[in-house]
Amino acid sequence: MPSRAVAMGTTRIQILSLVAGGLQTAFWIYTFVVIGRTANPMGDGMELVALVPMTMIWACLTLPATVLSIWRRSVPLALLLHLVAIAAFGWIWSEISAELARPRTAGPRTLVMDRPGPVAEGRRHVGRMFRARGADAGAGVAREPSGGDDISCA
């Protein structure tokens, strides 16, 4: 009788481990889809670097644990590996989602000012013009005092 109870418990753990492996694999694939859709098509592709830790977690923890569950070898160890993988996926995903939530472009007044060169000098000049002319300087567009063209730093 005790051997059947142990086998029944192992079967439940095996099923739970296989379900966890399937859900983690689906989440890993979902990460590819989300990052692929939010990546800048005209950018340098550095958003895809976020897939490296997710793939390492899947390859080093989820895949071996799922294989152990399928072969019915060390099923409790496989479940423990899945729990560690879930925690790691959650931690890395929180970092990725924080990066994806940041705005892609800065506004015209938040350009980096500490960079040396003509762009920083031009922005300082624009700042002086805003202070000199007041807030009603024309819908936030800075103009030369002589009425010249708009100043753009793009």
Side-chain angles (χ1 to χ4, degrees):
M1 230 356 156
S3 64
R4 182 168 185 199
V6 171
M8 187 63 136
T10 304
T11 304
R12 287 182 184 160
I13 293 174
Q14 179 186 11
I15 291 171
L16 183 61
S17 181
L18 289 173
V19 167
L23 290 175
Q24 289 173 22
T25 302
F27 182 72
W28 176 60
I29 293 169
Y30 169 75
T31 304
F32 278 85
V33 172
V34 167
I35 291 177
R37 286 186 180 172
T38 57
N40 183 4
M42 301 302 284
D44 58 358
M46 288 304 291
E47 296 91 353
L48 300 176
V49 172
L51 296 172
V52 173
M54 297 294 272
T55 303
M56 292 300 292
I57 292 168
W58 183 83
C60 295
L61 295 173
T62 302
L63 186 62
T66 305
V67 170
L68 284 174
S69 297
I70 290 172
W71 289 347
R72 295 182 183 172
R73 307 274 187 208
S74 303
V75 177
L77 175 65
L79 187 60
L80 179 66
L81 286 175
H82 280 303
L83 292 176
V84 171
I86 288 170
F89 272 139
W91 177 55
I92 297 296
W93 180 253
S94 69
E95 297 292 327
I96 291 172
S97 62
E99 286 292 324
L100 293 178
R102 290 185 183 162
R104 289 186 180 169
T105 58
R109 301 282 293 182
T110 59
L111 189 66
V112 177
M113 295 292 289
D114 60 348
R115 185 180 305 162
V119 172
E121 292 300 320
R123 294 306 276 178
R124 285 190 196 107
H125 176 68
V126 170
R128 284 193 299 269
M129 286 189 321
F130 271 119
R131 285 190 299 275
R133 294 179 66 190
D136 58 346
V141 177
R143 298 193 179 276
E144 290 290 330
S146 63
D149 294 328
D150 293 344
I151 297 173
S152 64
C153 296

